[in-house]
Amino acid sequence: MTALTDNLTKLDGYLARFRPHGIQNLIAGETRPAASGSVFDTVSPVDESVICPVARGGVEDIDAAAQAAKAAFPAWRDMPAAERKKILIRIAELIEARAEEIALCECWDTGQALRFMSKAALRGAANFRFFADKVTSARDGQNLRSPTLMNVTTRVPIGPVGVITPWNTPFMLSTWKIAPALAAGCTIVHKPAEFSPLTARILAEIAHEAGLPDGVWNLVNGFGEDAGRALTEHPAIKAIAFVGESRTGSMIMKQGADTLKRVHFELGGKNPVVVFDDADLDRALDAAIFMIYSLNGERCTSSSRLLVQDTIADEFEAKLIERVNNIRVGHPLDPETEIGPLIHKVHFDKVTSYFDIAKQDGATVAAGGCRVGEEGWFVRPTLFTGASTDMTIAQEEIFGPVLTAIRFADEAEALQVANDTEYGLTAYVWTNDLTRALRFTDALEAGMIWVNSENVRHLPTPFGGVKASGIGRDGGDWSFEFYMEQKHIGFALGQHKIPRLGA
Ligand code: NAD
């Protein structure tokens, strides 16, 4: 038996449980169909087959979930930190125990290659462990003594929060949002992306099994325009943690305005990888390829613009073309596969539309630029060369395995091009000149920058973007700035003089 057939057999076993009833919502600890009885199908991008029906939640389901989260909030907030910590650790353990199931289901639902998804499941567990460790200090504050007052601050959880997640690496991203929310003492309503609902259901089940009290974690599936919208408008929901497209973020801000929602946005990117001629070019090549073609390029932090110094551009691009043409596109459950199919036909149509746009703009399709096979949403990894910063392919987030290469003459031009985008999520800089690295990163407009490295996530560091790439930061203590309120209490140290009116 090959590894692929072995994985397909295991997947079949894991999916069997979804077939009788499909994926239902989880509200107040109860598995429920949508109140309206509506469902939609989740479809595998590998062969376009229907995986199972999914409850299509709407206003009524969101209301029930938000009320459940509100009712569960005081007891969860007040549960001793050590007990909450134990539950989060238990969630991490159960994720680890079901890592294979999560990885296989996620690959089938999203088209992501197993080689990356098996690690993503474990990263989800690591997120819970990391925030479990922070539970006991989450409420800590400061002592800011003044001459007359002992001023102390303490942090309190903001209340029930809505978590809205996208279809790219949905499992890992959901844990990244939900773990700090629970650690802070918030209760949640999770609305996962309609294109990839499988692992959100598994995750909610795990939380239930780990002993999370009913109503602390509610799951409502559905579409953005109904379930998503209702969540952002619900008065019981105090904040919305959202990961997705910049224009959806803008809609959410408007939808949440009437109820004064606090928002945290992780949005799109058009991230540059800047390669200077003094860099270690072999390592820069490995990193540039990894950061755009891994995870099908469906990755907010992908290095989708290659800025390469003209003195080395011919050599660098020639090596790049050779490597890109060698990337293995195939079945996501085959451990050899490096790129699987894109998530959905709608997204496939979007990504492939840029193949013509690139030519119309005057760029060269140096590799790829075509579909693979006739079933499923597979594309060849693609490289556009001869591009300039004003082209559509250099400005719009394509969100697929598509790299746009732009040449630059000197540092000033590299900086101008790197910053010439509405986005500002990540940037990658390759140079061995330390002073230049300092100067250049200081001027780059990005929330996260790596020098001589690919994106290596370290959980205590702040994660987030500037410009149209986001609002707020995740990671370490920064997550608690969103999920918690600061409270100040001043205690008089003695009988200081109080202004006397009307005396
Ligand atoms: P999307 O914005 O289309 O959808 C994301 C989620 O929002 C889904 O659950 C969707 O149902 C919901 N939604 C849609 N309309 C809504 C509305 N009006 N009200 C409430 N909810 C609504 O994004 P996507 O296509 O699923 O994901 C890809 C995008 O996510 C890319 O732009 C990518 O860069 C971005 N992303 C950013 C980060 C980051 O950390 N910055 C991480 C991952 C993905």
Side-chain angles (χ1 to χ4, degrees), residues 268-336:
K270 190 73 181 175
N271 313 301
V273 50
V274 185
V275 183
F276 287 98
D277 60 7
D278 62 9
D280 180 332
L281 297 184
D282 289 339
R283 286 178 61 76
L285 186 68
D286 284 345
I289 293 171
F290 177 73
M291 281 312 304
I292 181 63
Y293 297 112
S294 61
L295 299 175
N296 299 350
E298 295 167 321
R299 171 183 202 159
C300 56
T301 53
S302 71
S303 56
S304 51
R305 289 183 298 151
L306 167 67
L307 277 50
V308 57
Q309 195 152 17
D310 53 12
T311 40
I312 50 154
D314 284 346
E315 181 196 346
F316 197 82
E317 285 177 7
K319 286 185 181 164
L320 185 59
I321 292 167
E322 196 185 329
R323 291 275 296 277
V324 174
N325 284 330
N326 280 340
I327 290 176
R328 291 182 291 276
V329 179
H331 197 295
L333 296 188
D334 182 340
E336 294 299 309

Side-chain angles (χ1 to χ4, degrees), residues 164-169 173 176 191-195 222-232 242-249 251-252 255 265-269 298-301 347 350 397 399 423 425 448 463-465 469-470 474:
I164 302 179
T165 47
W167 47 258
N168 67 311
T169 54
L173 282 173
W176 181 226
K191 208 299 282 171
E194 49 272 45
F195 287 157
F223 288 72
E225 61 267 27
D226 38 47
R229 184 182 182 110
L231 184 56
T232 59
F242 168 73
V243 187
E245 283 195 24
S246 302
R247 67 168 181 274
T248 314
M251 280 195 282
I252 289 176
Q255 293 163 195
F265 289 164
E266 288 179 17
L267 308 173
E298 295 167 321
R299 171 183 202 159
C300 56
T301 53
H347 189 57
K350 175 189 158 180
E397 184 187 45
F399 216 57
Y423 297 107
L425 189 58
M448 296 169 281
F463 184 103
S469 288
D474 269 320

